[in-house]
Amino acid sequence: MDHDEVLALFDDRLRRNAPPDPGCRVERDGAVIRQVGPEHSWNGVVWSGLDEAGADAAIAAQVRHFAGLGLEFEWKAYSHDRPADLGARLLAAGFTPEPDEALMLARIADLPTDAALPEGVRLLPVTDPAGVDLLMEAHEQAFGSEHPGLRARLLDHLRHGTSTVSMVVAMAGDRPVSGARMELVPGTGFAGLWGGGTAPDWRGRGIYRALIAHRARLAAELGYQYLQVDASDQSRPILQRLGFAWVSTTTPYVHQP
């Protein structure tokens, strides 16, 4: 896989020409592409093509826009974005950075799709609100926090059908011990992998790798060519061993209304 070529495709198809999430709209404001939706949706800047002369004014314009809507928003910045000091400019404008994540990309044809689950664990597809509840329970065990906004977004996806999301829960008996989703972006060739966190007492047994393989296999069957992950320091080494490439670093900068 040519890393630079696939990163350019990612920028073009998922950022410059970003399709909206269900119930949201994508807007172009000069050299800035943003998504705007209800309060529970992801609101923020997905791409910007700024230069040093106009960056501060463009940042201020986005702050005013989302403040006028009364919405918290995120400027999703990448280490290859310009200007090179974009992060420092966002900090100066009152944004708060969240932890860095590695942007990992892979060609699905290069990935293993046959990783086995540990004995006693089965995968349960999420197709209704009860399944979303199980997924959120697994998420809370893995990450130790509740995310009501995420639950609302997942229900939005379900209402719009399975063309935009595929979700699954790993069940040990009646207990959800891990959960993951794949956000499908029709017409782009890319699908994004999210979640995959596992309850502490079930870690180290291959569930995360099995969930990656399951979603890669499904994406291939649906005709997708590439997978994308925003990876933490814990998941990055596993993904690299599976065949993902670390092509950039992304930092979410959050601004409160």
Side-chain angles (χ1 to χ4, degrees), residues 107-240:
R107 186 169 56 189
I108 296 171
D110 298 334
L111 298 176
T113 58
D114 58 353
L117 288 161
E119 185 177 355
V121 176
R122 60 188 171 89
L123 295 185
L124 177 69
V126 173
T127 59
D128 56 23
V132 171
D133 289 341
L134 289 173
L135 181 61
M136 296 309 302
E137 183 180 343
H139 190 282
E140 290 162 19
Q141 290 183 67
F143 302 109
S145 58
E146 296 184 7
H147 292 274
L150 174 59
R151 184 181 189 279
R153 291 197 298 274
L154 297 182
L155 291 173
D156 282 347
H157 277 291
L158 281 183
R159 282 191 287 269
H160 284 79
T162 57
S163 64
T164 59
V165 69
S166 174
M167 296 178 280
V168 66
V169 179
M171 302 291 296
D174 294 330
R175 178 189 171 196
V177 296
S178 187
R181 70 188 190 276
M182 179 168 61
E183 295 189 2
L184 305 158
V185 192
T188 69
F190 284 86
L193 304 187
W194 305 92
T198 302
D201 57 323
W202 277 90
R203 291 174 187 165
R205 307 193 202 184
I207 294 178
Y208 182 80
R209 291 189 298 275
L211 288 173
I212 294 289
H214 169 78
R215 288 174 288 172
R217 184 168 59 251
L218 178 59
E221 292 171 356
L222 293 172
Y224 287 82
Q225 292 83 48
Y226 301 102
L227 293 180
Q228 169 257 325
V229 185
D230 290 350
S232 67
D233 290 341
Q234 290 72 38
S235 56
R236 176 178 53 80
I238 302 173
L239 292 165
Q240 286 180 306

Side-chain angles (χ1 to χ4, degrees), residues 32-43:
V32 172
I33 307 295
R34 65 189 178 218
Q35 176 171 283
V36 182
E39 186 175 1
H40 68 264
S41 302
W42 185 88
N43 287 279

Side-chain angles (χ1 to χ4, degrees), residues 43-150:
N43 287 279
V45 172
V46 295
W47 180 82
S48 63
L50 305 177
D51 56 26
E52 294 183 0
D56 290 336
I59 292 169
Q62 301 313 306
V63 170
R64 288 194 300 272
H65 177 78
F66 283 99
L69 298 174
L71 292 173
E72 174 183 297
F73 78 103
E74 176 184 311
W75 193 301
K76 193 162 178 59
Y78 292 78
S79 57
H80 63 282
D81 286 347
R82 295 292 177 266
D85 63 348
L86 177 60
R89 293 171 185 265
L90 292 169
L91 291 175
F95 287 76
T96 301
E98 295 189 345
D100 292 344
E101 296 174 308
L103 172 61
M104 313 284 292
L105 299 176
R107 186 169 56 189
I108 296 171
D110 298 334
L111 298 176
T113 58
D114 58 353
L117 288 161
E119 185 177 355
V121 176
R122 60 188 171 89
L123 295 185
L124 177 69
V126 173
T127 59
D128 56 23
V132 171
D133 289 341
L134 289 173
L135 181 61
M136 296 309 302
E137 183 180 343
H139 190 282
E140 290 162 19
Q141 290 183 67
F143 302 109
S145 58
E146 296 184 7
H147 292 274
L150 174 59

